């Protein structure tokens, strides 16, 4: 791996026995529109992955075989296999895609076994570093026991196909239930400046040494918009998205970022933006957005 050409903000975090950069990369946007089909610019997508993992030194890439479906995993394999020893690919199971672009749940034991093997095949791996169990639905977390599904992943872990486990789109009660069954190393939920419902969970996980990985850190398909965010960005002579990423890194040391982009220039902008140092005044002003 070449020497990183841009310093990554936030340092590192340990997921079980895996050390990853706190600034990671989410591959979802490399698929086609609405995460369906191939990218319009395949060579551009491959270039983004190589920029992230080879030139910039990002060691945490988030993906799923459902993206495309199979598209992002195949791109990752083409761009980066054989993988550097320091690179850790995190995937998720528990949902699939339908012809209408929906995300139907797929959490029966046979569904999960198939998805784990599909991820192994498409990524060309013998073991998956970290698998998140995706819960809830497209509307968000939903109450209910995860025991049968999570126990299936534990069995696959015991078979040597998975190193570490996490949960995604989960309620706090489901996080606790998962931990009663087997150790988890991360929780991946929607969270950003405007959606602060997991504040207490983030703080609890920090004390337990468990990572919190916010998806849609910039608001998802609808960008974050706030007069306070814009005011802080104007004062710092930067973009609102840069401030939003920097705020997440400063929110708690166990927060790991996986913003996605299909542009190498935008990737570098995200990294530079996340490296901003926000003052106490900035943080106080920003904290009011989600409260």
């Amino acid at each position: 791996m070449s020497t990183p050409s841009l310093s990554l903000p936030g340092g590192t975090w340990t997921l079980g026995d895996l050390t990853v950069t706190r600034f990671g990369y989410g591959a979802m946007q490399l698929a086609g529109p609405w995460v369906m089909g191939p990218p319009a610019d395949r060579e551009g997508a491959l270039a983004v992955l190589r920029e992230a993992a080879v030139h910039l030194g990002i060691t945490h890439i988030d993906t799923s075989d459902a993206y495309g479906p199979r598209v992002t995993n195949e791109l990752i394999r083409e761009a980066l296999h054989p993988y550097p020893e320091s690179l850790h690919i995190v995937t998720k199971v528990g949902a699939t895609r339908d012809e209408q672009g929906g995300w139907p749940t797929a959490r029966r034991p046979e569904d999960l076994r198939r998805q784990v093997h599909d991820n192994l095949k498409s990524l060309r791996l013998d073991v998956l570093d970290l698998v998140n169990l995706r819960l809830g639905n497209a509307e968000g977390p939903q109450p209910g026991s995860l025991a049968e599904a999570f126990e299936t992943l534990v069995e696959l872990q015991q078979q040597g196909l998975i190193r570490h486990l996490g949960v995604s789109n989960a309620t706090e009660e489901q996080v606790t239930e998962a931990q009663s069954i087997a150790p988890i190393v991360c929780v991946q939920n929607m969270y950003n400046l405007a959606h602060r419902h997991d504040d207490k969970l983030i703080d609890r996980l920090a004390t337990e040494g468990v990572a919190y990985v916010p998806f849609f850190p910039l608001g998802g398909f609808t960008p974050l918009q706030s007069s306070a965010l814009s005011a802080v960005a104007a004062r710092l002579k930067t973009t609102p998205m840069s401030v939003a990423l920097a705020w997440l890194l400063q929110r708690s040391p166990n927060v790991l970022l996986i913003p996605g982009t299909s542009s190498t220039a935008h990737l570098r902008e995200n990294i530079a933006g996340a490296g901003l140092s926000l003052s106490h005044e900035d943080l106080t002003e920003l904290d009011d957005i989600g409260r």
Side-chain angles (χ1 to χ4, degrees):
M1 179 178 292
S2 62
T3 301
S5 55
L6 185 66
S7 178
L8 294 173
T12 60
W13 181 266
T14 302
L15 298 165
D17 61 349
L18 310 175
T19 299
V20 298
T21 51
R22 286 185 65 207
F23 192 100
Y25 174 73
M28 186 174 73
Q29 291 189 29
L30 294 182
W34 302 103
V35 203
M36 288 292 286
D41 180 4
R42 185 177 183 85
E43 289 305 312
L46 297 172
V48 170
L49 287 164
R50 291 170 181 141
E51 180 78 2
V54 178
H55 301 298
L56 298 176
I58 288 172
T59 62
H60 174 196
I61 292 181
D62 180 83
T63 186
S64 171
D65 206 49
Y67 296 163
R70 294 176 298 280
V71 169
T72 62
N73 279 6
E74 291 173 356
L75 289 168
I76 290 168
R77 184 188 69 214
E78 182 176 344
L80 302 174
H81 192 278
Y83 305 113
E85 187 175 337
S86 60
L87 179 65
H88 302 296
I89 300 173
V90 178
T91 189
K92 63 181 69 63
V93 296
T96 186
R97 306 303 303 276
D98 59 29
E99 293 181 356
Q100 292 72 43
W103 300 82
T105 60
R107 292 194 288 270
R108 296 175 302 176
E110 58 267 32
D111 294 329
L112 296 172
R113 294 187 188 101
R114 173 182 51 76
Q115 290 170 70
V116 165
H117 283 281
D118 285 348
N119 274 280
L120 287 166
K121 181 179 179 180
S122 60
L123 289 167
R124 199 179 296 168
L125 287 168
D126 296 322
V127 56
L128 299 170
D129 277 338
L130 169 55
V131 174
N132 286 311
L133 173 63
R134 185 184 188 275
L135 299 162
N137 55 34
E139 302 301 316
Q142 303 293 323
S145 175
L146 53 63
E148 182 182 41
F150 196 70
E151 287 167 358
T152 300
L153 294 185
V154 172
E155 290 174 8
L156 292 166
Q157 183 183 41
Q158 292 169 344
Q159 293 170 20
L161 300 179
I162 302 170
R163 286 197 175 90
H164 299 290
L165 298 172
V167 292
S168 176
N169 207 31
T171 66
E172 184 167 2
E173 291 74 20
Q174 289 165 337
V175 172
T176 301
E177 184 183 15
Q179 290 175 308
S180 73
I181 298 170
I184 64 172
V185 299
C186 74
V187 173
Q188 189 180 105
N189 278 0
M190 180 176 179
Y191 180 84
N192 54 49
L193 267 169
H195 296 86
R196 302 283 298 278
H197 51 283
D198 273 354
D199 272 334
K200 291 182 180 179
L201 178 59
I202 290 173
D203 294 338
R204 175 192 132 187
L205 294 174
T207 67
E208 297 170 352
V210 176
Y212 185 94
V213 186
F215 61 77
F216 292 155
L218 302 179
F221 294 107
T222 301
L224 275 175
Q225 293 183 338
S226 160
S227 57
L229 178 59
S230 297
V232 172
R235 189 164 64 238
L236 296 177
K237 296 181 174 57
T238 188
T239 66
M241 297 304 97
S242 293
V243 173
L245 289 174
W247 177 84
L248 282 168
L249 273 186
Q250 291 185 228
R251 168 63 181 82
S252 181
N254 66 322
V255 171
L256 311 184
L257 299 187
I258 50 168
T261 178
S262 58
S263 159
T264 56
H266 189 213
L267 174 63
R268 285 176 165 263
E269 289 171 6
N270 282 344
I271 292 172
L276 288 172
S277 180
L278 301 175
S279 68
H280 177 74
E281 177 187 7
D282 298 330
L283 294 172
T284 299
E285 194 169 344
L286 293 168
D287 277 343
D288 288 337
I289 294 173
R291 297 184 190 278

